[in-house]
Amino acid sequence: MARRRRPSRAVGTLNGPSALGLGVALIWFSLLVLIPLAAVVSTAAAGGWDNFVTTLTNDQTQAAIRLTVVQSLLVTAVNVVMGTTIAWVLVRDRFWGRGALNVVIDIPFALPTIVAGLVLLALYGKQSPLGVDFANTETAVFLALAFVTLPFVVRTVQPVLEELELDVEEAAASLGASRLTTFRRVILPSLVPAIAAGAALSFARGISEYGSLVLLSGNLPFRTEVASVRVLTYIENGNPAAASAVATVMLVVALLVIVLLDVIQRRVSRRG
Amino acid sequence: MARSSRVREPLWVRLILRTVVVTYLVLLVAWPVALVVLNTFQDGFVHMAEALADPVVQNALRLTAVVAVSAVVINLLFGVTISLLLVRYEFPGKRALSAMIDVPLSVSPVVVGLALLLVYGSRTGWFGPALADAGIQMVFATPAMVMATAFVALPLVIREVVPVLEEVGDEQEQAARSLGAGGAQTFWRITLPSIKWAVVYGVVLSLARSLGEFGAVKVVSGNIVGRTQTATLVVEQKYQNFEQTTAYSVAFLLAFASVVCIVVVSILRPKEES
Amino acid sequence: MSIEVRNVDKRFGDFVALDDVSVSIPTGQLTALLGPSGGGKSTLLRIIAGLENADDGTIEIEGVEATHLPPQKRNVGFVFQHYAAFKHMNVAKNVAFGLEIRKRPKADVERRVDELLRLVHLQQFAHRLPAQLSGGQRQRMALARALAVEPTVLLLDEPFGALDAKVRKELRDWLRRLHDEVHVTTVFVTHDQEEALEVADEIVVINDGRIEQVGTPDQLYDEPANDFVMSFLGDVTRLNGVMIRPHDVDVNSTPVDGAVVGTVTRLLRVGFEVRVTVTAEDGHDVAVVLSRAEARGSGLAEGATVWLTPHRGALTVDARPAAGVSA
């Protein structure tokens, strides 16, 4: 399996067509992603430090950011526990309907976010057959985030768990470790990078979520308004500087998550 | 897969875990989704037919198709090119580019919309006024909607194709070269067939994501009924206007299209060859 | 001369893969590039094929200056260690690839593919995919694919390296017979001296990016240019400051003038031969190989004192003090 790959310079240096391809691709990437994102940061900066401070110390904005961060952390914590458990059950247990569960995990990825909100309203809104009504509450924000971030931890942990070699566990057992000790000392450490990667993705998604919250949370200021909605409100009120200030904070969080993921991945690949 | 019973959890542990997992997934996903399907079809296909007869809905579906397909085509060309460059070539700044490619996945759709607005807005954007003078309306029109959609789905093709290109290696391409094939011939006859399924999968994921994009499109489209309103925007508007059955019908169509895409490909996709 | 390599240098970063290498490879012969892993032999082969660019120096193939030609213009056949089979094409399509690129008429392609599949004994597998073939069959398909375009030279990079020992040996004999039939100039890379000695007309020994010696198998074995070549082509041991093959050491049970005196410390019978370790008085071990009859005749036993002399006419090479040659 571990075959040696030789460096192949004659094929690997940029020649006419590939240099052209790189040029065109980079121009498009700049026009689509880099320049617009730079515009956000630059607009926030152009408003000056005052704009930044005023926007971020605004009570309503602070409430929105606090709600977003707290709910994202909460959802990430739930995902770490539930996601790992789900992955474990999917990989290690055998029962009727396991295949269907595997498909259910992908539904939140496949569904348009606005539809996700609608879906949750059906069970947790006014006409809930459960007799609850979480619409326009903080619980609704939590539910929406839990729904859209469900697959992250499951799908990062699952493959690692599948590749985990059973003889390591057998070795631990033969050395006298109980199942719990084996899980804590042998299995969990090898899952940690995957769990961390999944958690980072799920936190980043939680911070940036918008579509699934629109119908479900009601966007009530100080109660269910999240950061994305705040940005949208600033845009609609014709205050791009303030919108950019909040957006920049969100971009920085996203960037930190990407760096964190990169670090985790490199640590894993070094461990080999 | 023969599992040794010595390292398997006792039955009661497994039963508890199983129950917890099933309950969580049923409450969070399965039941709500089933309810929407039931709500949509509680009177058979009547609501669906009504919704499809609505000109606003028809327009939105058409626009969604145009925007999604354009974005997917762009991402396909861009994605395959970038994947080849990242895997097969050396150039300065490669690592940075490879990290930047994933950025769109973690940016809020609303921020994406804002970013595009700041650059392509026709009155105050960086490039918008110049483009407007040239007669090109970007924002509140299809071009910016395509861009917003392409932005959010950008990494999906690349994330599918890059690992496969790495796995396949470049020996087959070198063999083709040594047998007399030029660059284009090698790409069409050797490289493309070997990444075919990754490309198809990436395209389908992009399509599903593009059909469902909401936040970014909402910001740059202006949400003009009958003109720049896509299917997801119609769902929001109809729901808030208390035309819930129409909202459910369009939502179902969108969800159905996305789910069908993914199911079809997972069936078509050949199992991993050893 | 079919391939002329002149003053070729190649570096990968700080690593010197080839250092001012010049070699002529004769037409119509089967030549082996032999040497340890990382010695530069594969790099040289890939430079000849155009899959790698030399930093400096020139390559000429059949009188044509090829240094700057891309691989597709060199008309060489290249066979990879891991086959490089086109996985999405069946065997016939794989073999036809080069001909289709050259836009040969369909009927010609079919005839030629059929001919080649017969040559490599794969005619009944024409419609299988590479995944359905064994390693040896895949390598034969790769060979047919390379031969299809009637290359000026055929280059094989460790062609049997990924196969198990038995298949390796079969394919080795088969390559020799095939070459006697086809007579295309062939160069193959190997790190297995037995393979090179058995198959090649001529061997180029490469080590540390330099050519150590060029010659026929007999020349290399009988007249090695230095201790590296000698030790790479077979077992060697040290006796009185010279390198000698263990089967060229005579064991005497009575004192002999100029002999190395030592004690038998280990006696191991392996099949038809007996391996003896003699610890000389100066403390270093000499390995000796005897036939069973010889061992029995001299009544050897562990602990016995023996006198070691080189066999009359035996090949010896002065050991370079710095070169850490091991037996």
Side-chain angles (χ1 to χ4, degrees):
Chain A
M1 279 300 283
R3 86 155 78 136
R4 193 161 53 109
R5 293 211 199 288
R6 295 197 182 83
S8 43
R9 298 300 162 86
V11 195
T13 35
L14 287 175
N15 50 21
S18 56
L20 181 70
L22 181 63
V24 173
L26 282 186
I27 289 172
W28 172 244
F29 189 62
S30 306
L31 287 175
L32 185 68
V33 178
L34 298 182
I35 296 174
L37 290 184
V40 171
V41 178
S42 136
T43 307
W49 187 245
D50 284 350
N51 160 55
F52 230 88
V53 173
T54 323
T55 309
L56 296 181
T57 51
N58 172 293
D59 284 349
Q60 195 180 338
T61 309
Q62 278 199 337
I65 291 179
R66 199 179 313 119
L67 175 74
T68 312
V69 171
V70 168
Q71 293 301 325
S72 298
L73 284 175
L74 212 59
V75 159
T76 304
V78 169
N79 278 335
V80 164
V81 177
M82 284 313 296
T84 310
T85 313
I86 293 169
W88 180 271
V89 168
L90 286 178
V91 173
R92 289 296 172 88
D93 207 355
R94 291 287 173 277
F95 56 93
W96 184 87
R98 198 180 54 104
L101 282 193
N102 215 351
V103 174
V104 165
I105 303 293
D106 275 336
I107 288 182
F109 271 163
L111 282 192
T113 50
I114 186 79
V115 178
L118 203 62
V119 161
L120 288 171
L121 263 180
L123 187 60
Y124 299 106
K126 279 189 221 30
Q127 290 140 15
S128 167
L130 289 174
V132 295
D133 183 5
F134 293 138
N136 309 339
T137 66
E138 275 189 24
T139 312
V141 176
F142 175 84
L143 279 172
L145 297 188
F147 184 92
V148 296
T149 59
L150 167 73
F152 288 108
V153 175
V154 181
R155 290 300 185 226
T156 46
V157 171
Q158 210 176 356
V160 181
L161 207 50
E162 264 160 10
E163 294 212 339
L164 217 61
E165 280 163 31
L166 216 59
D167 34 354
V168 181
E169 290 167 46
E170 290 178 346
S174 76
L175 291 168
S178 70
R179 267 320 273 168
L180 205 61
T181 316
T182 306
F183 181 77
R184 205 163 44 81
R185 301 276 298 272
V186 178
I187 302 170
L188 205 54
S190 37
L191 295 184
V192 164
I195 295 175
L201 286 171
S202 126
F203 180 71
R205 177 68 197 264
I207 292 288
S208 62
E209 185 52 26
Y210 170 67
S212 61
L213 294 165
V214 173
L215 299 179
L216 191 57
S217 76
N219 305 332
L220 306 174
F222 297 104
R223 284 193 48 215
T224 62
E225 192 183 44
V226 295
S228 293
V229 175
R230 203 68 200 115
V231 174
L232 191 67
T233 314
Y234 279 128
I235 298 174
E236 283 168 350
N237 293 347
N239 188 352
S244 299
V246 181
T248 302
V249 173
M250 294 171 75
L251 279 178
V252 169
V253 174
L255 217 61
L256 285 179
V257 168
I258 287 173
V259 170
L260 182 72
L261 277 177
D262 199 56
V263 169
I264 293 171
Q265 261 153 16
R266 260 190 296 167
R267 185 164 297 174
V268 172
S269 65
R270 204 168 15 178
R271 202 196 283 179
Chain B
M1 238 195 256
R3 298 212 165 270
S4 145
S5 58
R6 274 177 302 117
V7 294
R8 225 181 141 170
E9 279 58 44
L11 186 64
W12 64 270
V13 174
R14 280 187 288 133
L15 277 179
I16 290 175
L17 290 178
R18 210 185 283 178
T19 313
V20 169
V21 163
V22 170
T23 311
Y24 185 74
L25 292 179
V26 164
L27 282 178
L28 191 62
V29 184
W31 195 353
V33 170
L35 275 178
V36 167
V37 176
L38 288 178
N39 285 348
T40 309
F41 294 108
Q42 57 190 349
D43 300 315
F45 283 87
V46 181
H47 295 311
M48 186 63 82
E50 267 173 25
L52 287 176
D54 185 337
V56 172
V57 172
Q58 288 174 352
N59 247 317
L61 288 175
R62 204 175 302 126
L63 185 60
T64 297
V66 169
V67 169
V69 168
S70 313
V72 166
V73 169
I74 290 170
N75 279 344
L76 169 66
L77 297 177
F78 175 79
V80 172
T81 309
I82 284 284
S83 302
L84 278 172
L85 288 165
L86 285 180
V87 178
R88 294 282 190 264
Y89 294 89
E90 283 302 329
F91 52 90
K94 186 167 126 167
R95 241 191 84 82
L97 179 63
S98 156
M100 291 301 290
I101 291 293
D102 277 343
V103 166
L105 281 188
S106 356
V107 176
S108 169
V110 176
V111 176
V112 172
L114 170 68
L116 291 172
L117 215 54
L118 290 174
V119 175
Y120 299 104
S122 43
R123 276 185 299 116
T124 55
W126 286 5
F127 305 154
L131 286 165
D133 287 346
I136 304 170
Q137 167 88 4
M138 298 288 290
V139 160
F140 306 144
T142 316
M145 295 163 72
V146 172
M147 284 185 96
T149 309
F151 188 121
V152 296
L154 182 88
L156 297 175
V157 170
I158 299 168
R159 287 167 77 94
E160 289 297 318
V161 173
V162 161
V164 176
L165 268 180
E166 276 169 352
E167 173 62 32
V168 171
D170 59 354
E171 273 202 347
Q172 293 186 50
E173 289 160 22
Q174 291 182 11
R177 290 296 182 104
S178 78
L179 290 167
Q185 282 170 317
T186 307
F187 174 77
W188 288 109
R189 285 166 174 259
I190 304 301
T191 314
L192 197 57
S194 54
I195 57 172
K196 182 173 62 185
W197 284 108
V199 171
V200 170
Y201 206 66
V203 162
V204 170
L205 288 178
S206 304
L207 187 64
R209 182 79 180 81
S210 301
L211 288 174
E213 180 43 35
F214 173 70
V217 167
K218 183 176 175 181
V219 176
V220 299
S221 70
N223 205 357
I224 307 164
V225 177
R227 284 213 12 241
T228 64
Q229 201 175 40
T230 59
T232 49
L233 296 174
V234 164
V235 173
E236 183 197 19
Q237 189 220 345
K238 294 286 181 190
Y239 190 86
Q240 284 168 346
N241 290 353
F242 304 103
E243 297 176 56
Q244 295 191 357
T245 54
T246 311
Y248 277 127
S249 299
V250 178
F252 176 82
L253 280 178
L254 281 169
F256 187 71
S258 300
V259 172
V260 163
C261 279
I262 285 169
V263 168
V264 163
V265 165
S266 66
I267 293 169
L268 281 180
R269 192 185 216 177
K271 296 286 163 268
E272 300 299 314
E273 295 151 71
S274 52
Chain C
M1 286 296 165
S2 176
I3 305 174
E4 285 289 346
V5 176
R6 290 194 200 92
N7 310 105
V8 163
D9 282 316
K10 177 73 185 175
R11 277 181 185 73
F12 295 111
D14 290 340
F15 177 71
V16 179
L18 293 173
D19 182 11
D20 195 21
V21 165
S22 298
V23 64
S24 300
I25 289 169
T27 306
Q29 302 241 350
L30 187 50
T31 304
L33 301 183
L34 173 68
S37 305
K41 54 197 188 320
S42 281
T43 308
L44 178 59
L45 195 77
R46 292 168 63 80
I47 286 176
I48 295 173
L51 296 172
E52 212 90 65
N53 285 326
D55 296 338
D56 206 359
T58 60
I59 306 285
E60 199 175 280
I61 299 173
E62 291 290 1
V64 178
E65 161 63 37
T67 315
H68 300 291
L69 282 182
Q72 64 265 36
K73 301 253 169 72
R74 295 197 184 194
N75 201 37
V76 297
F78 200 98
V79 175
F80 296 78
Q81 180 176 4
H82 298 284
Y83 330 122
F86 301 144
K87 294 191 181 119
H88 59 285
M89 300 180 188
N90 66 25
V91 172
K93 278 286 173 198
N94 260 278
V95 176
F97 184 86
L99 299 167
E100 284 176 358
I101 290 290
R102 285 166 176 74
K103 304 220 163 35
R104 296 282 163 77
K106 216 170 164 214
D108 286 7
V109 173
E110 270 171 35
R111 193 176 38 75
R112 181 92 180 113
V113 169
D114 192 54
E115 202 177 292
L116 280 156
L117 288 181
R118 228 170 270 283
L119 183 72
V120 300
H121 308 300
L122 284 177
Q123 62 270 41
Q124 68 273 41
F125 298 124
H127 299 292
R128 292 225 186 148
L129 286 174
Q132 298 164 298
L133 300 181
S134 72
Q137 288 168 336
R138 265 183 250 183
Q139 198 55 299
R140 279 175 5 226
M141 177 194 84
L143 204 55
R145 183 177 71 183
L147 286 171
V149 299
E150 291 172 5
T152 332
V153 294
L154 179 62
L155 308 172
L156 304 98
D157 188 3
E158 298 260 7
F160 315 132
L163 303 169
D164 59 46
K166 188 164 172 287
V167 181
R168 241 181 125 113
K169 200 150 171 44
E170 278 169 22
L171 273 188
R172 204 190 278 173
D173 297 342
W174 177 82
L175 175 67
R176 183 65 244 182
R177 272 182 281 122
L178 182 81
H179 184 261
D180 293 342
E181 268 176 65
V182 184
H183 278 303
V184 58
T185 306
T186 304
V187 183
F188 76 102
V189 160
T190 179
H191 61 261
D192 178 345
Q193 92 281 358
E194 200 184 316
E195 192 164 288
L197 290 172
E198 212 179 294
V199 180
D201 298 315
E202 182 156 282
I203 299 177
V204 179
V205 182
I206 302 183
N207 180 40
D208 260 350
R210 270 187 291 262
I211 292 184
E212 300 277 356
Q213 191 174 5
V214 182
T216 64
D218 286 350
Q219 279 170 345
L220 260 57
Y221 198 84
D222 296 338
E223 303 153 35
N226 54 40
D227 60 337
F228 173 81
V229 175
M230 181 168 178
S231 61
F232 200 77
L233 286 181
D235 290 340
V236 288
T237 189
R238 260 170 94 140
L239 183 69
N240 232 353
V242 297
M243 317 287 318
I244 186 168
R245 304 233 181 264
H247 59 254
D248 279 343
V249 178
D250 284 344
V251 180
N252 308 281
S253 46
T254 52
V256 177
D257 276 351
V260 171
V261 189
T263 313
V264 176
T265 45
R266 199 167 129 88
L267 206 62
L268 180 68
R269 204 199 114 188
V270 182
F272 60 86
E273 61 178 40
V274 177
R275 296 181 191 163
V276 186
T277 307
V278 175
T279 307
E281 282 176 331
D282 66 358
H284 89 263
D285 286 351
V286 183
V288 184
V289 174
L290 301 173
S291 70
R292 285 184 69 191
E294 285 169 331
R296 217 176 295 134
S298 55
L300 279 184
E302 286 186 10
T305 303
V306 291
W307 289 261
L308 304 177
T309 49
H311 192 70
R312 194 140 43 96
L315 161 78
T316 57
V317 169
D318 287 342
R320 259 188 291 197
V325 177
S326 58

